[in-house]
Amino acid sequence: MRRLAIALLTTAAGLSLFAGGASAQDAPDDGDDLTTDTVVTPGGGTIDPVDVLQVSGFIDDILVSEIGDAIERAESSGSQALILQVNSNGTVVDDDVVEALLDDIANAPIPI
């Protein structure tokens, strides 16, 4: 069941990313937090940043909380999307926690 949950988490993250249809460009590295940088295009338009969260190891309560926090940060900072990179072999939390996390990802206000 846990492998299925991880597979669903990874699939949901991938599908949400492609379903958003947003294109991302690298923001200039000026030493500031990239979640607040907006890129100005040569035509004078702006491109909102894309946040990235890398998750590695077993999915535990701390990682579940960090993923939820990353979704909230990305929304409040005006990011156009959140890329969730997951490298995990399983979970150490209950199945209902994983299901709640999947619901949060599926219902996030920004593409993940």
Side-chain angles (χ1 to χ4, degrees):
M1 179 67 178
R2 291 180 191 243
R3 285 188 181 187
L4 175 62
I6 293 299
L8 290 174
L9 176 66
T10 305
T11 302
L15 291 176
S16 296
L17 177 65
F18 290 115
S23 64
Q25 292 185 0
D26 291 332
D29 188 10
D30 58 4
D32 291 337
D33 183 13
L34 291 179
T35 59
T36 60
D37 291 343
T38 299
V39 176
V40 178
T41 64
T46 59
I47 300 174
D48 291 329
V50 174
D51 289 357
V52 177
L53 177 65
Q54 296 177 338
V55 176
S56 184
F58 286 104
I59 305 296
D60 59 9
D61 289 327
I62 295 170
L63 289 179
V64 169
S65 176
E66 181 58 30
I67 292 170
D69 291 346
I71 294 170
E72 291 177 16
R73 277 193 310 270
E75 178 188 11
S76 66
S77 69
S79 295
Q80 63 176 315
L82 170 65
I83 297 175
L84 181 60
Q85 297 177 333
V86 179
N87 180 16
S88 178
N89 289 328
T91 66
V92 292
V93 294
D94 292 332
D95 291 340
D96 58 334
V97 173
V98 175
E99 289 176 16
L101 176 61
L102 291 173
D103 286 340
D104 290 345
I105 291 171
N107 298 318
I110 61 170
I112 299 178

